Amino acid sequence: MSERAVLHVKGRILVGPDEVRDELWVVDGRISYDRPAGARDIRTVDGWVLPGLVDAHCHVGLDRHGAVPGEVAEKQALTDRDAGALLLRDAGSPSDTRWIDERDDLPKIIRAGRHIARTRRYIRGYAWEIEPDDLVAYVAREARRGDGWVKLVGDWIDRDLGDLSACWPRGAVEAAIAEAHRLGARVTAHCFAEDSLRDLVEAGIDCVEHATGLTDDTIPLFAERGVAIVPTLVNIATFPELADGGESRFPRWSAHMRRLHARRYDTVRSAHDAGIPVFVGTDAGGTLPHGLAADEVVELTRAGIPPVEALAAGTWAARAWLGRPGLEEGAPADLVVYASDPRADVRVLTDPRRVVLNGRVVG
């Protein structure tokens, strides 16, 4: 083997929650646990090592008004990268961000296409706004455009009702989810309230975003069907402010949002305790800034999820759920190095020492 530049990462390599190695090597952008023969130009990085963090609910290319220019999307992706989030599930965006795939210095993105919402039942400029008769066709379109996911808006405020309500009839979501699955895509849905959840789960949905409306009636159903949730607690923290802003026009909605916020930690803890898969997501890119994956892990621990399981929700388990590798032999070298053991204190995640993406030290 010819002389090559390699990266030597040593210390405590957290391959899994209970699997720890002393070192790894990065050659040609990929992980090896064997010292490469012929290596002379070696750069060494040391510390506590995790696979790159996962933000399983963010929106690159989107802000509060809709699609953003490419340079803004680039800054969003760089912010996530520098915070250690190297795998993103983009849960709906009107922007075409395929150009990011050509950049080996930006996080890897799994796209869900563009949101699909009921007419006048979502944030203006974000979604395809359609009626139920068109749902199957639009789901098929986004399943072909995305990276194995489709995003529905499952509930939103009904202005006539003055409160959150389900957006789709049961038959429409059954047909749409079946079509997505036929095309090889999984389906997730934005859901704040209670009344859309049973229909979506019984229709075969794969994941629910936010899931603040989970109750003792629906938690067992989620657990039985293996439907994952991405709670986005850093976003749910904004509910009181949203409620204050809508108080005068929609007092019923405002009161509902405050109740959902007040019980958020109990909801997530009960879901976890029932065996529902819980994953890290921030909802960055709408009104929230990017780079909050570590903060979401901390929030999960505040909800009562044990630290190592909260850590897994944003690393090992999340990567397995999304079908992407961690620190396995031959995997792309996407990893983050910390000064101390994040299993002992997840707040360490907010201060990465080094970020390595595709084998290059980028931060």
Side-chain angles (χ1 to χ4, degrees):
M1 181 180 295
S2 61
E3 183 173 308
R4 295 175 295 175
V6 301
L7 182 65
H8 182 205
V9 184
K10 63 179 185 177
R12 302 269 77 189
I13 314 300
L14 301 176
V15 181
D18 300 310
E19 181 182 357
V20 184
R21 300 201 183 197
D22 294 328
E23 62 182 356
L24 63 77
W25 303 82
V26 178
V27 183
D28 296 330
R30 294 191 174 269
I31 291 170
S32 174
Y33 287 98
D34 296 317
R35 181 187 176 103
R40 294 293 183 272
D41 182 7
I42 299 174
R43 177 176 179 181
T44 300
V45 173
D46 65 281
W48 293 80
V49 180
L50 284 172
L53 304 185
V54 177
D55 187 340
H57 183 134
C58 67
H59 306 277
V60 176
L62 183 71
D63 69 8
R64 68 178 64 239
H65 304 296
V68 299
E71 60 269 22
V72 177
E74 179 186 39
K75 289 178 182 178
Q76 293 174 337
L78 286 169
T79 299
D80 281 322
R81 183 200 75 181
D82 293 345
L86 306 183
L87 178 60
L88 314 176
R89 186 181 61 144
D90 193 318
S93 176
S95 294
D96 181 359
T97 59
R98 290 287 174 188
W99 57 270
I100 289 176
D101 296 346
E102 307 303 316
R103 294 270 300 268
D104 63 6
D105 63 330
L106 295 178
K108 296 173 175 67
I109 300 183
I110 297 170
R111 298 170 184 82
R114 187 172 184 175
H115 306 76
I116 302 172
R118 190 77 178 263
T119 308
R120 298 187 68 246
R121 294 286 302 278
Y122 199 49
I123 303 166
R124 184 178 300 175
Y126 277 30
W128 300 119
E129 297 191 21
I130 61 169
E131 289 302 295
D133 287 348
D134 294 321
L135 184 59
V136 170
Y138 272 80
V139 163
R141 172 179 177 168
E142 296 310 297
R144 293 185 178 102
R145 290 182 64 241
D147 299 315
W149 284 90
V150 176
K151 169 74 173 295
L152 306 179
V153 177
D155 65 34
W156 197 250
I157 188 169
D158 181 326
R159 290 169 176 80
D160 294 330
L161 183 65
D163 199 359
L164 298 166
S165 70
C167 292
W168 309 104
R170 169 71 171 263
V173 292
E174 284 179 343
I177 291 170
E179 178 66 3
H181 289 170
R182 185 184 72 81
L183 294 170
R186 289 185 277 182
V187 182
T188 192
H190 161 108
C191 294
F192 284 161
E194 297 84 355
D195 65 350
S196 63
L197 296 178
R198 181 169 292 276
D199 280 353
L200 287 168
V201 173
E202 291 182 347
I205 203 160
D206 303 283
C207 180
V208 169
E209 312 299 312
H210 317 302
T212 44
L214 278 170
T215 65
D216 290 343
D217 290 333
T218 49
I219 284 173
L221 179 64
F222 272 65
E224 176 189 340
R225 302 292 181 94
V227 177
I229 65 170
V230 182
T232 67
L233 287 168
V234 292
N235 177 46
I236 305 311
T238 68
F239 275 18
E241 181 181 356
L242 295 175
D244 290 346
E247 181 77 51
S248 60
R249 292 184 62 199
F250 303 113
R252 183 176 170 187
W253 171 84
S254 295
H256 196 173
M257 295 290 278
R258 291 190 183 99
R259 290 196 303 273
L260 294 171
H261 174 265
R263 70 176 199 241
R264 68 197 187 283
Y265 289 154
D266 290 339
T267 300
V268 172
R269 183 172 58 254
S270 295
H272 166 267
D273 291 349
I276 294 173
V278 178
F279 297 107
V280 165
T282 66
D283 209 1
T287 58
L288 289 181
H290 284 257
L292 298 178
D295 299 83
E296 181 67 11
V297 175
V298 174
E299 277 290 281
L300 291 179
T301 65
R302 289 174 178 155
I305 294 181
V308 173
E309 293 181 48
L311 189 60
T315 54
W316 313 292
R319 285 178 168 271
W321 177 58
L322 294 172
R324 297 300 175 92
L327 299 178
E328 294 97 346
E329 179 78 27
D334 297 344
L335 55 93
V336 192
V337 183
Y338 300 95
S340 58
D341 188 352
R343 298 171 303 176
D345 185 351
V346 298
R347 291 174 296 180
V348 169
L349 299 181
T350 63
D351 187 24
R353 173 184 283 179
R354 290 286 183 270
V355 176
V356 177
L357 179 61
N358 292 310
R360 295 173 50 213
V361 178
V362 294

